[in-house]
Amino acid sequence: MQKYSFLSLIKNAFSGHKGWEVAWKDPTPKKEYDVVIIGGGGHGLATAYYLAKEHKITNIAVIEKGWIGGGNVGRNTTIIRSNYMHDENGLFYEKGMDLWRSMSQDLNFNIMFSPRGIINLAHSDAQMNAYARRGNSMRLNGIDALLLDREEVKKKVPVLDFSDNVRFPIFGALMQPSAGTARHDAVAWGYARQADSMGVDIIQHCEVTGFDISNGKIQGIKTSRGDIKTKKVGLCVAGSTSILAEMLNMTLPIETHLLQACVSEPIKPILDHVVTFGAGHFYCSQSDKGEMVMGGDLDGYNSYAQRGNLPTLQHVLTEGIAMFPFLSKLNMLRTWGGIMDMSMDGSPIIDKTHIAGLYLNCGWCYGGFKATPASGFTFAHTIAQDRVHELNSGFRLDRFSTGHLIDEKGLGTKTWIS
Amino acid sequence: MLYIKCPHCGLRSQNEFAYGGDASVKRPELNKEISDQEWDEFVYLRKSPRGKHLELWHHVSGCRQWIKVLRDTSTHEIFNTYKSEEKVG
C-alpha cells in the first residue's frame, strides 16, 4: 500500500496527481470467507480492520448494500465523547477515546481529530447536582470531567444567551475537555483503506437477501451477487438491523427511527467547543469550514426513510435559538436524515446470538459514530474468540429479559415518554 | 409534515399528535401467571418492520383520543386510520 505522507504529496504534486493508487479495490465476491461482515459502515469496516490487525484473520468480506461512507458514518454530527456515568458505557467509550487519539497515525489517514471539549449546559441546581455526580463517576473511571460554574461557562462560550429574560437560565455545565470531533468520511475511508491493504474484500452494491442456517449454525449468506459460504457472520447494519433480523426469524429489542441533523452557512470562528442544551435536546459545534453543525431529537415515529420532516427541525432549532440567539440570523445550508437502531434502554448490543456463528452489533441510538473504534475492537474480539470482550460484556442481548438494563439516560425508543 | 385523519375530528397536522408506538403489541392478560419471556416480548421486543406498520397515535392537542394509524415506515404514506376499539382487517 502507498503510504500517505508530506513527501508523497510533493512527489504526486509534481507528477500531476496521476500516481495515486486506489484507496481500496473493487473485488468480485469469492465463494467462501472465514468471516463475513454485513454492513460497510464505520463499525463494519472497523471490525474488519481489527479482525485483521489484532486477530490475524484476513479472509474477510465486508458486504455493503450501498457505498462506503453513504450511510450513518457520513450522516452523523462527528462528535466524540465518553462522558457516561455507568461503568459499562464509561469504560467502553474511554477505550474508544484512546483509539481515537492514535487513529490518524494507526490508519495513516488524517481523520482530523479535534479534542475541543464538550460542554453540557445545566439549567437548575438539581441538574448541577446530577452533573457533579456524573462527573465524579466519570473521574472514577479515569475520564476527565470538569464542573463549570456560570462565569466559567461565560468565559468559554460568550455567545450563549446569558441575559435575564431567558426561560432556562444557565447555572453551569459539565465539561469533558478531551472530547471533540473528527472528520467522519476520513474514518470510513481510513479503515476501508487499511482493511483492504491487509486482504479484506470490500464488496459494495451487494445486498444480503437471506441466510443459510442448518443445525442452529450459520453456513453462509445469500446476496444479490451470489451465495457466499462462511462459518461466521457479523451484523453491523445499524438502522437496517430489524430487516435482517426478520430474515433470521428474530425479534429484537430495537426500533428503527429517523434522526435529522443540519448545517448553517459557514461563518467565522465563533464556537470553540461542542455545546449541548440541558433543558431539551439540542447540540451544536462549528465545523472546520465554519458551518454550525446542529442536531437534536428523533422525528419520533418508526421510520426507514433517510429524510426528515420539518416539525422536528423547527422544534430542534427553536431550542437552538433559545441557546444561541445569533443562530436566527443564519441561513440553513443543508439538512439530512439517517435511520437509527434505537435500543430500548438507549445502550448498544454487541453479543453472540442463539445461532452459532452469528454475531450482533446494534442498538447504537444517537451515538454510533463516537463508538466506531471501540465497537470494531470489541466486536472483532467477540467474533474471533467466540466470546465477548470484558468491555462489551454488559452489552448483552438478553439484558432486557434478565433486567440488567444500562439506563444511562432512560432514553430509548419511547421519545414520547422522555 | 404528516397529515393524519383523526377518525373523530378529520384531517389534522402531525403537530397535534403524539406517537404511541406499535399497535399490534398486546399486554398479557391481568391475573394470569406470566413468564419473564412474555414480559420481555410485551415490554421490549418489537418487529419494527420496513413497510406497513399499524401504530398508535394520541390526538393530544385535539380530541385527546388514542387512534390507530396504518402507515408505511419507508414512504410515510398513511393508508388508513381507525378508532382505538375498531377492528383492523
Side-chain angles (χ1 to χ4, degrees):
Chain A
M1 185 185 65
Q2 193 177 30
K3 195 168 157 54
Y4 293 161
S5 67
F6 188 55
L7 276 177
S8 72
L9 189 61
I10 294 174
K11 209 179 104 202
N12 279 288
F14 280 110
S15 57
H17 290 293
K18 284 174 187 156
W20 295 110
E21 292 169 11
V22 292
W24 58 87
K25 297 177 282 293
D26 185 19
T28 314
K30 289 192 277 187
K31 290 276 169 239
E32 186 164 2
Y33 289 94
D34 292 342
V35 178
V36 171
I37 304 294
I38 302 174
H43 290 223
L45 293 166
T47 304
Y49 169 77
Y50 289 109
L51 274 169
K53 185 176 173 235
E54 304 286 334
H55 305 279
K56 311 297 174 213
I57 300 170
T58 55
N59 187 23
I60 303 172
V62 176
I63 308 284
E64 168 57 45
K65 187 175 90 172
W67 66 96
I68 298 304
N72 290 350
V73 74
R75 293 168 187 261
N76 58 74
T77 47
T78 79
I79 295 162
I80 291 161
R81 59 189 175 84
S82 61
N83 52 354
Y84 286 84
M85 191 167 86
H86 290 305
D87 292 350
E88 293 94 335
N89 283 327
L91 296 170
F92 175 84
Y93 287 109
E94 189 55 16
K95 168 69 182 175
M97 294 304 296
D98 285 341
L99 294 169
W100 281 113
R101 284 186 270 265
S102 60
M103 194 184 286
S104 289
Q105 286 71 34
D106 293 346
L107 298 181
N108 179 228
F109 205 112
N110 185 4
I111 60 148
M112 299 169 79
F113 178 50
S114 161
R116 60 185 69 180
I118 187 166
I119 293 175
N120 303 123
L121 298 178
H123 306 273
S124 67
D125 282 329
Q127 206 168 13
M128 284 299 281
N129 287 341
Y131 276 162
R133 179 172 176 236
R134 183 157 131 199
N136 284 333
S137 301
M138 286 163 63
R139 293 175 95 144
L140 285 173
N141 281 332
I143 304 162
D144 55 327
L146 290 176
L147 199 62
L148 308 177
D149 64 26
R150 183 179 158 95
E151 287 310 306
E152 288 167 316
V153 177
K154 203 169 183 174
K155 226 181 264 171
K156 288 192 186 300
V157 196
V159 289
L160 284 165
D161 192 348
F162 286 97
S163 61
D164 294 330
N165 56 357
V166 293
R167 172 67 184 81
F168 300 105
I170 294 162
F171 276 54
L174 180 67
M175 181 177 190
Q176 185 191 2
S178 68
T181 60
R183 186 183 174 204
H184 51 199
D185 310 301
V187 175
W189 298 338
Y191 274 126
R193 176 168 160 267
Q194 284 295 341
D196 176 85
S197 80
M198 289 188 281
V200 174
D201 279 358
I202 296 169
I203 300 159
Q204 301 179 71
H205 307 291
C206 179
E207 185 174 359
V208 172
T209 54
F211 293 86
D212 180 10
I213 297 163
S214 63
N215 301 326
K217 283 185 197 151
I218 199 106
Q219 309 289 345
I221 60 166
K222 301 183 201 323
T223 77
S224 56
R225 294 173 65 177
D227 294 357
I228 299 170
K229 275 194 212 163
T230 182
K231 297 275 181 240
K232 291 187 174 188
V233 173
L235 295 190
C236 277
V237 294
S240 301
T241 305
S242 295
I243 299 171
L244 292 185
E246 198 189 343
M247 295 180 195
L248 291 158
N249 275 327
M250 288 169 75
T251 309
L252 298 172
I254 59 171
E255 271 181 11
T256 294
H257 281 254
L258 176 61
L259 181 63
Q260 297 191 69
C262 56
V263 293
S264 74
E265 59 189 326
I267 52 173
K268 286 185 176 178
I270 190 167
L271 186 61
D272 297 335
H273 311 281
V274 181
V275 184
T276 75
F277 188 43
H281 200 169
F282 173 83
Y283 58 87
C284 187
S285 65
Q286 189 167 21
S287 76
D288 295 327
K289 286 182 281 187
E291 302 151 339
M292 306 306 288
V293 186
M294 299 167 280
D297 273 320
L298 296 175
D299 272 36
Y301 41 82
N302 292 46
S303 175
Y304 284 90
Q306 285 177 312
R307 62 186 186 286
N309 203 345
L310 284 173
T312 304
L313 212 52
Q314 184 181 26
H315 169 77
V316 167
L317 292 173
T318 305
E319 293 178 42
I321 290 164
M323 231 173 99
F324 295 112
F326 79 94
L327 289 180
S328 68
K329 296 196 178 72
L330 297 184
N331 291 308
M332 194 67 77
L333 191 66
R334 201 162 60 244
T335 80
W336 66 94
I339 53 172
M340 309 292 118
D341 38 339
M342 301 301 295
S343 70
M344 294 291 163
D345 61 355
S347 296
I349 296 160
I350 308 178
D351 203 355
K352 298 161 65 171
T353 62
H354 70 282
I355 300 166
L358 184 80
Y359 304 87
L360 187 61
N361 178 325
C362 66
W364 292 100
C365 300
Y366 300 90
F369 177 66
K370 65 177 176 293
T372 306
S375 164
F377 184 82
T378 54
F379 196 41
H381 180 280
T382 307
I383 293 172
Q385 312 279 334
D386 195 37
R387 63 186 162 86
V388 295
H389 188 277
E390 61 175 351
L391 287 173
N392 65 316
S393 57
F395 299 156
R396 299 168 61 96
L397 177 58
D398 68 0
R399 68 173 183 270
F400 300 93
S401 55
T402 61
H404 294 91
L405 274 70
I406 311 169
D407 53 345
E408 188 73 38
K409 280 185 86 181
L411 272 180
T413 59
K414 297 179 176 57
T415 50
W416 60 93
I417 294 172
S418 55
Chain B
M1 178 81 78
L2 299 180
Y3 286 96
I4 301 172
K5 190 181 162 203
C6 173
H8 308 281
C9 318
L11 200 64
R12 298 299 173 98
S13 100
Q14 166 197 350
N15 288 330
E16 293 186 13
F17 294 84
Y19 185 62
D22 191 336
S24 67
V25 178
K26 288 255 180 317
R27 191 187 195 284
E29 269 177 57
L30 279 175
N31 305 323
K32 194 189 129 204
E33 212 31 58
I34 293 154
S35 67
D36 288 355
Q37 183 62 36
E38 282 171 281
W39 270 124
D40 192 29
E41 281 167 18
F42 166 61
V43 180
Y44 297 118
L45 302 185
R46 295 291 179 272
K47 287 273 178 217
S48 189
R50 179 173 60 178
K52 280 187 181 177
H53 189 232
L54 187 68
E55 54 203 20
L56 293 168
W57 287 79
H58 189 193
H59 196 185
V60 69
S61 303
C63 63
R64 308 200 64 187
Q65 296 295 309
W66 283 92
I67 62 167
K68 288 189 235 176
V69 176
L70 188 65
R71 186 180 61 94
D72 192 304
T73 57
S74 57
T75 63
H76 295 171
E77 180 184 356
I78 293 171
F79 303 104
N80 214 343
T81 56
Y82 309 87
K83 291 178 185 169
S84 61
E85 71 280 8
E86 211 173 316
K87 266 246 185 258
V88 180

